[in-house]
């Protein structure tokens, strides 16, 4: 979803997978990701953009926001 130059995504973590498994943004885009953990312990990281959530337990969620410095 794109609202006022903000791209929003929901990423759900399960054992051995993330849905969706690909997110595409443009350099300069504002990005909001709602990270939901369906089972186990997971975190969400994009090392190239220095973005990270905390480690979440099953059924927890966290929102991470950032400006994409790279496509």
């Amino acid at each position: 979803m794109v609202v006022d130059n903000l791209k929003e995504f929901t990423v759900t973590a399960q054992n051995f997978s993330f849905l969706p498994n690909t997110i595409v943004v443009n350099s300069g885009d504002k990005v909001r990701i709602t990270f939901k953990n369906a089972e186990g312990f997971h975190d969400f990281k994009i090392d190239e953009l220095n973005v990270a959530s905390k480690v979440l337990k099953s059924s927890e969620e966290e929102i991470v926001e950032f400006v994409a410095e790279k496509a």
Side-chain angles (χ1 to χ4, degrees):
M1 176 186 309
V2 178
V3 177
D4 295 330
N5 198 32
L6 174 69
K7 290 190 177 178
E8 294 189 67
F9 303 92
T10 298
V11 175
T12 302
Q14 305 178 75
N15 286 335
F16 308 109
S17 68
F18 290 88
L19 296 174
N21 62 4
T22 303
I23 294 173
V24 178
V25 300
N26 298 308
S27 182
D29 285 345
K30 298 175 193 172
V31 181
R32 176 183 296 145
I33 296 174
T34 301
F35 178 59
K36 297 181 176 187
N37 184 21
E39 56 186 301
F41 293 87
H42 298 283
D43 60 351
F44 178 85
K45 291 185 181 181
I46 305 173
D47 292 331
E48 297 83 4
L49 299 175
N50 200 28
V51 173
S53 73
K54 63 183 180 182
V55 175
L56 303 179
K57 295 184 268 183
S58 182
S59 301
E60 291 184 329
E61 67 180 64
E62 181 178 351
I63 295 173
V64 293
E65 295 183 336
F66 58 96
V67 174
E69 297 171 357
K70 303 175 185 178

